[in-house]
Amino acid sequence: MAVNRIEATAGISQVMDDFYAQIRGYEKVAWCMGPVPYELMFCAGVGCFLAENTATRIAAAHEQDKYMDTSKAAGLGIECCSYAKINIGQALLMEQGAEIADRFKLPKPDFIALGDACPSMMQWARCLGEIFDVPVFVFDMPFVEGDTVEEIKEVLDYYKKRLLEFITFLEGVTGKPFDYDLLKERCATISEMSLWRKQMFELQKAVPAPASFIDGAVCMGPSLTIRTEAAKDLYKKFVEEQMYRVAHGIGVSDNEKYRIMWKGNFPWYKVGALSRLFDKYNAVLVDGCYGFLKDCLLPEKVFPPFGLPPVDDPLMHVACDYAISAYSMGFDPKYDIQCKEFIDDFSIDAVIIHSPHTCRPWGMGSFDMARRIEDEYHIPCIVLELDHTDESYYNDAQVETRIQALLEAVDANRAKMGKIR
């Protein structure tokens, strides 16, 4: 039985490889963690990339062990974020002059940029700053207690001031004035890209689902950092393929029986295996918040229609795109955005919450959220305690057994309610 993957996902490797090849040609380079304003760096002539993306690529190629072993040997604990272990291990290997596969080679940074959205990121950034002896610029992520217009605008105004400080920092690094006109052009491209990604998201409400959460997650990387015409074209092709499938009744599974929501980041080293496992049981990971957080986060009542203001105020445009993070939100608004919206609209039969061993922000509140889903929606929910890039926490047989039990619970629910599917 074959999984009907979206063919456009095959283009992701070339987009990412081209992106990293271009970075190697920049005179100044930044290594980045978390939600930092990549557009400002590119408009200042600084090449930059998301360290988590790089760690994901390494894990997807099953080459993470030597990087994590290097960082562990240097003293990083077992509970340290596995993204950080890979990234710091890579930095240490570079400083040692060790051999690194061409595809994963990176230029040394001139500075580190951090969106401080996670408790471990500050230490991670400081480690890199010490290894390479470069400065670290930190973007604070204020905690958002609610989702009122006043609260969100207060956060955005604070972040916009920080953007101005960052521009001054960039001008000092490059010795050149910042190009605001180029920033407006980039913001216009981002707005168009977000429209295509919104359609990617909305089309998965169809039955059968034309694409899966895995398809969306595989293509997530460019939406975080690249965000150029090449990224926009990738998402446009993705949407066009989905639209064709919806029109012709083609689904990810040839016999869709279960529609599952996946909440949280993903075990990137098991993308293919999990895709085949769900297809084996005619189950589809219809969607989940992880792949669409940036595009779906801000309430429409604040900045209609998609959370981004006009590009004639590019700094506010950038602030809206980065300042409000799922990491900085309280439990209730996080539940509304990350669970309620998806379960209500996507005909979800069950929920899987991934609680990664080494990622505190995604692990926090997992079991409370599972209980709330079961109480409010009366659908089964399980918490899988795995990891995003550390394979040592994954056991194939145990994961399959848990998923089997989840689907049996769906069947029992349907029988109880007199539903057959």
Side-chain angles (χ1 to χ4, degrees):
M1 190 181 298
V3 183
N4 298 324
R5 292 284 298 275
I6 292 287
E7 293 180 7
T9 61
I12 186 63
S13 292
Q14 191 62 54
V15 171
M16 297 302 291
D17 285 347
D18 289 347
F19 170 69
Y20 280 97
Q22 290 169 7
I23 287 175
R24 297 182 190 110
Y26 278 86
E27 183 178 341
K28 301 291 184 180
V29 174
W31 287 28
C32 310
M33 283 124 270
V36 295
Y38 303 96
E39 285 67 47
L40 266 63
M41 286 176 272
F42 284 120
C43 291
V46 175
C48 60
F49 62 93
L50 181 62
E52 295 97 303
N53 272 6
T54 306
T56 295
R57 296 177 80 221
I58 290 170
H62 301 278
E63 295 185 25
Q64 68 269 48
D65 286 351
K66 78 172 183 177
Y67 299 98
M68 289 198 293
D69 289 344
T70 300
S71 60
K72 289 175 187 175
L76 269 70
I78 191 171
E79 297 298 326
C80 178
C81 171
S82 57
Y83 280 152
K85 286 201 286 277
I86 293 172
N87 190 226
I88 292 171
Q90 186 174 20
L92 291 169
L93 288 170
M94 287 172 60
E95 288 299 277
Q96 295 167 10
E99 184 63 30
I100 293 176
D102 287 343
R103 189 180 175 206
F104 303 127
K105 284 182 178 176
L106 297 170
K108 292 183 179 181
D110 294 279
F111 65 92
I112 310 298
L114 164 67
D116 191 20
C118 163
S120 66
M121 282 183 173
M122 183 65 79
Q123 289 75 26
W124 177 0
R126 285 175 175 170
C127 281
L128 293 176
E130 290 179 9
I131 291 169
F132 293 116
D133 192 23
V134 295
V136 177
F137 192 97
V138 179
F139 283 90
D140 302 320
M141 302 299 296
F143 193 77
V144 184
E145 291 286 353
D147 63 352
T148 66
V149 172
E150 292 75 17
E151 286 174 303
I152 290 177
K153 284 189 174 179
E154 184 178 357
V155 171
L156 294 175
D157 287 341
Y158 172 83
Y159 197 85
K160 186 175 179 180
K161 291 177 183 176
R162 195 64 174 143
L163 291 176
L164 289 168
E165 293 172 1
F166 188 48
I167 288 174
T168 300
F169 173 82
L170 290 172
E171 289 177 332
V173 169
T174 63
K176 301 174 184 176
F178 185 78
D179 191 337
Y180 283 92
D181 290 333
L182 181 57
L183 180 60
K184 289 182 180 180
E185 292 177 17
R186 289 296 292 257
C187 288
T189 300
I190 292 165
S191 292
E192 190 174 349
M193 184 196 76
S194 278
L195 290 175
W196 287 113
R197 281 179 52 76
K198 273 285 185 180
Q199 286 187 263
M200 284 172 59
F201 170 65
E202 295 292 334
L203 284 166
Q204 291 181 68
K205 294 176 182 176
V207 179
S212 73
F213 165 77
I214 293 177
D215 290 316
V218 165
C219 287
M220 182 176 66
S223 73
L224 299 175
T225 51
I226 302 178
R227 317 177 84 196
T228 58
E229 290 293 321
K232 184 191 74 177
D233 290 344
L234 174 70
Y235 297 127
K236 180 175 181 288
K237 290 177 183 177
F238 194 113
V239 168
E240 290 170 345
E241 195 172 341
Q242 280 182 290
M243 293 176 70
Y244 176 87
R245 288 186 173 196
V246 170
H248 293 82
I250 301 170
V252 178
S253 170
D254 292 329
N255 182 28
E256 181 183 299
K257 186 178 179 183
Y258 307 98
R259 294 170 67 88
I260 313 298
M261 173 188 163
W262 180 283
K263 180 195 175 297
N265 57 18
F266 205 72
W268 299 112
Y269 46 86
K270 286 290 182 179
V271 169
L274 281 171
S275 183
R276 291 186 293 272
L277 175 61
F278 283 106
D279 194 63
K280 173 182 173 181
Y281 293 102
N282 298 316
V284 177
L285 292 182
V286 176
D287 222 313
C289 57
Y290 188 65
F292 294 93
L293 281 178
K294 290 180 72 63
D295 306 88
C296 302
L297 194 55
L298 283 174
E300 292 184 9
K301 65 183 179 183
V302 181
F303 295 109
F306 297 111
L308 295 175
V311 297
D312 57 0
D313 186 358
L315 289 184
M316 183 56 76
H317 191 283
V318 173
C320 291
D321 203 11
Y322 289 99
I324 311 296
S325 166
Y327 298 117
S328 59
M329 302 189 83
F331 184 89
D332 287 333
K334 188 178 292 187
Y335 174 79
D336 289 342
I337 292 169
Q338 295 185 359
C339 293
K340 194 173 187 298
E341 176 181 331
F342 293 83
I343 296 171
D344 283 341
D345 295 344
F346 286 83
S347 307
I348 297 298
D349 296 310
V351 176
I352 296 174
I353 298 177
H354 179 214
S355 181
H357 272 277
T358 69
C359 186
R360 294 175 188 173
W362 278 111
M364 283 191 300
S366 294
F367 289 94
D368 287 338
M369 200 164 281
R371 281 191 292 270
R372 184 163 176 177
I373 289 168
E374 291 180 335
D375 290 343
E376 186 171 336
Y377 289 94
H378 308 291
I379 59 175
C381 180
I382 60 171
V383 177
L384 291 180
E385 296 181 274
L386 310 173
D387 197 70
H388 39 307
T389 50
D390 191 338
E391 290 191 70
S392 66
Y393 292 106
Y394 195 99
N395 182 290
D396 290 284
Q398 288 179 2
V399 170
E400 182 164 6
T401 298
R402 296 288 308 283
I403 290 171
Q404 279 181 302
L406 179 72
L407 301 181
E408 288 169 5
V410 173
D411 290 336
N413 246 10
R414 289 174 178 168
K416 184 177 179 180
M417 299 172 67
K419 293 182 179 179
I420 299 175
R421 186 169 168 184

